């Protein structure tokens, strides 16, 4: 893996792609990366643990890019592993810098000093959210109404239990877009779908939506795809072929009823 | 007035004072300034209009600083007139760059290009909110729970009608702190008090609270003081003597019931 280095201010900036897209959707991938850069390094994890779903959402970045191509969407993704800082969690949430994830202890997070918590927040969390906020505020200033969709993947087996759901749509305060996506996906995707599955906002997984979409009254949704269904580049493209029409249909339905 | 100039990136950064305060409160003053810097200049307004309440909240900055001294609070305030960009409004709200304010047309805002709307958002709105977000996230990362209180003043005569209320407390989603402040002020301030007066969240005046406090579940309130009661430095100090104990009592009450 190429070494990831911070900018001159010590920040790990997110990556924005397709900045001048004409579509309404901004796709967000907080768990795109399993990079473990200095000064934190691998947190004492094995190579296998660094490749596992605890470190990132395998397939989510590729799926997001494939969706962006089909929807002409702007994308933003984090460049550092969620185990160093999970950008979909507020700095006071246990999951922001977790000492344990599913079955795995995270040695480098067992004893984090307050200084290190503040440093990770400044280096990773704030640049990510400032960049996303800038994208959204600029669109709004130009008279556009961006739609915020976060893209995640989940492990097929969690705490030893298989998960039957293949595609979950999760809402924060406003369920309109998630319900419309779910209706389209149930009608046409052929996937086993669930609303607020395998997680819901009660599990603190909608932080990005809560921070950026809800205050501006923007339509928003969180997508969760079972990662065994997007395990190769070809599978990511095939999944985008199934899901992009569902998102497009949902946005059309929302425009017509809104 | 000293000429106000942007930083090397063209941004008008807010001012943060008492950064390392030990108190829980972060005081925010979006309407602290009636500066009309280039490239926008005075927007075609007379000197009297630039001094009037349409351009800023007279007395609010001085009152905020006097409250900060008594509560050991950190403060943040905008440095540009609300008529160039009102930092308590989202970029798509009419009040963000208003073409009219109360009885006054704002010639320089009559025909704003989309490029200028985006430029003002980038130069004034985003730096203000990024700085406030940074303050809040850092406190949260350190295990503290900041309390967000915005400080405003209002004109005693609006559209020709006198206003009887002297001190208003306004809430966004969570009314707990505003109700506690109101109870304390009614008991001990001697002021004519009102909840959600002279404005309420329905008038889009709680943007800062909605963007920064509500997503993190932080206690928050908006204070409105009639500006004839804080028209001199001595009056600002006297008002702080009346209101600081009310805020302190409300925070204590909230801690005991929370």
């Amino acid at each position: 893996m190429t070494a990831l280095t911070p900018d001159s201010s010590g920040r790990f900036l997110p990556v924005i792609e397709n900045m001048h897209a004409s579509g309404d959707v901004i796709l967000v991938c907080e768990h795109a990366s399993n990079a473990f850069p200095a000064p934190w390094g691998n947190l004492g994890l094995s190579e296998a643990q660094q490749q596992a779903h605890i470190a990132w959402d395998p397939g989510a970045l590729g799926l997001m890019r494939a969706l962006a191509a089909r929807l002409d969407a702007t994308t933003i993704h984090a460049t550092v592993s969620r185990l160093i800082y999970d950008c979909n969690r507020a700095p006071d949430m246990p999951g922001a810098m977790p000492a344990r994830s599913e079955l795995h202890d995270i040695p480098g997070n067992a004893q984090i000093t307050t200084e290190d918590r503040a440093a990770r927040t400044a280096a990773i969390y704030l640049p990510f959210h400032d960049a996303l906020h800038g994208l959204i505020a600029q669109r709004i200033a130009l008279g556009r109404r961006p739609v915020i969709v976060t893209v995640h993947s989940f492990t097929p087996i969690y705490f030893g239990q298989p998960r039957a759901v293949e595609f979950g749509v999760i809402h924060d305060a406003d369920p309109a877009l998630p319900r419309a996506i779910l209706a389209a996906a149930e009608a046409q995707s052929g996937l086993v779908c669930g609303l607020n599955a395998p997680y819901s906002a009660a599990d603190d997984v909608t932080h990005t939506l809560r921070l950026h979409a809800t205050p501006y009254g923007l339509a928003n949704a969180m997508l969760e795809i079972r990662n065994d269904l997007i395990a190769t580049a070809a599978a990511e493209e095939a999944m985008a072929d199934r899901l992009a029409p569902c998102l497009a249909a949902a946005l059309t339905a929302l425009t017509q009823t809104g």
Side-chain angles (χ1 to χ4, degrees), chain A residues 130-150:
Chain A
D130 286 353
L132 178 52
H133 188 210
L135 267 183
I136 293 170
Q138 282 298 328
R139 294 284 172 96
I140 292 174
L142 295 172
R144 298 172 65 179
R145 297 292 291 168
V147 173
I148 313 303
V149 177
T150 64

Side-chain angles (χ1 to χ4, degrees), chain A residues 82-108:
Chain A
R82 64 187 294 174
L83 293 179
I84 295 180
Y85 193 105
D86 184 335
C87 285
N88 196 29
R89 299 292 186 281
D92 58 335
M93 291 178 178
M97 301 162 246
R100 190 170 172 84
S101 180
E102 202 202 8
L103 305 171
H104 304 267
D105 287 322
I106 317 299

Side-chain angles (χ1 to χ4, degrees), chain A residues 17-102:
Chain A
E17 295 174 347
N18 208 13
M19 168 79 99
H20 301 290
S22 64
D24 289 333
V25 175
I26 296 175
L27 294 168
V28 182
C29 193
E30 304 97 329
H31 304 157
S33 171
N34 66 338
F36 288 86
W40 303 286
N42 67 18
L43 304 175
L45 298 170
S46 70
E47 187 59 36
Q49 288 174 313
Q50 294 174 53
Q51 297 296 330
H53 73 93
I54 58 170
W56 62 328
D57 284 0
L61 176 61
L63 174 62
M64 178 176 78
R65 285 174 167 154
L67 288 171
R70 287 157 180 79
L71 299 168
D72 195 13
T74 295
T75 70
I76 180 170
H77 69 270
T79 58
V80 173
S81 170
R82 64 187 294 174
L83 293 179
I84 295 180
Y85 193 105
D86 184 335
C87 285
N88 196 29
R89 299 292 186 281
D92 58 335
M93 291 178 178
M97 301 162 246
R100 190 170 172 84
S101 180
E102 202 202 8

Side-chain angles (χ1 to χ4, degrees), chain A residues 147 174-180 218-220 248-258:
Chain A
V147 173
D174 177 4
L177 180 62
R179 287 186 192 281
L218 301 174
N220 66 94
L251 291 170
T252 300
L254 212 65
T255 306
Q256 288 168 346
T257 59

